[in-house]
């Protein structure tokens, strides 16, 4: 794995989160209502990339991302997604140094009247820990 620059860690990028969300819904429900067809749950990185391309997701992956894993959740199990140490430390460093916390633009565009999250400097690490706690256990709420 390459070294991570704490101020600019390489990340997966998605241009159209709505299209990606619909693709995930298709995998979950196996319903054709989202795209007029059913996409099977991808079993390889190549299949994941191909489906994202066909669905118009606009996926960009750093070259070092070569593995692929799918976790199919059920209603009777607690799932905790633990991020890689390098990502946590890089994000902490960037955010603590005054950098912005990266959230997809749709949050501001659709939910916050065009605003981006503004966190008081005294609350930066509290926000950071809370955000990680949220996304590691969130399903669809």
């Amino acid at each position: 794995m390459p070294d991570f620059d704490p101020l600019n860690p390489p990340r997966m990028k998605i241009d159209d989160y709505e299209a990606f969300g619909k693709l995930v819904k298709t995998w979950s429900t196996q319903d054709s209502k989202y795209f007029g067809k059913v996409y099977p749950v991808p079993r390889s990185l190549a299949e994941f990339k191909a489906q994202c391309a066909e669905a118009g997701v606009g996926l960009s992956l750093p070259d070092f991302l070569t593995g692929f894993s799918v976790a199919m959740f059920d209603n009777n199990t607690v799932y905790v997604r633990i991020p890689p140490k390098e990502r946590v430390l890089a994000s902490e460093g960037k955010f603590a140094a005054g950098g912005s916390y990266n959230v997809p633009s749709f949050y501001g565009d659709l939910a916050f009247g065009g605003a981006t999250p503004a966190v008081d400097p005294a609350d930066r690490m509290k926000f950071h820990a809370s955000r990680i706690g949220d996304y590691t256990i969130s399903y669809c709420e």
Side-chain angles (χ1 to χ4, degrees):
M1 179 184 285
D3 291 330
F4 281 73
D5 175 353
L7 298 178
N8 189 23
R11 299 187 183 275
M12 178 172 74
K13 294 182 181 148
I14 292 174
D15 293 334
D16 189 336
Y17 277 92
E18 181 182 10
F20 187 59
K22 287 179 177 180
L23 188 55
V24 172
K25 287 181 176 186
T26 301
W27 296 331
S28 175
T29 65
Q30 292 296 288
D31 193 322
S32 64
K33 71 182 178 182
Y34 305 104
F35 288 103
K37 68 178 270 182
V38 172
Y39 285 94
V41 176
R43 299 292 177 209
S44 69
L45 184 58
E47 197 175 324
F48 174 70
K49 288 178 178 180
Q51 288 186 20
C52 284
E54 186 176 323
V57 168
L59 175 71
S60 299
L61 295 175
D63 290 338
F64 73 88
L65 292 177
T66 58
F68 182 75
S69 177
V70 171
M72 296 291 293
F73 295 179
D74 63 49
N75 290 320
N76 303 313
T77 305
V78 174
Y79 294 90
V80 178
R81 300 176 331 144
I82 299 174
K85 173 183 176 180
E86 297 86 358
R87 296 287 177 148
V88 171
L89 296 176
S91 179
E92 276 183 345
K94 179 180 176 182
F95 199 46
S100 61
Y101 187 86
N102 296 326
V103 293
S105 61
F106 72 83
Y107 282 103
D109 296 345
L110 300 174
F112 302 123
T116 57
V119 179
D120 186 287
D123 292 330
R124 284 180 171 274
M125 291 300 96
K126 180 179 180 179
F127 177 85
H128 187 262
S130 298
R131 178 70 181 118
I132 288 174
D134 172 40
Y135 74 67
T136 61
I137 62 167
S138 295
Y139 295 163
C140 292
E141 297 181 44

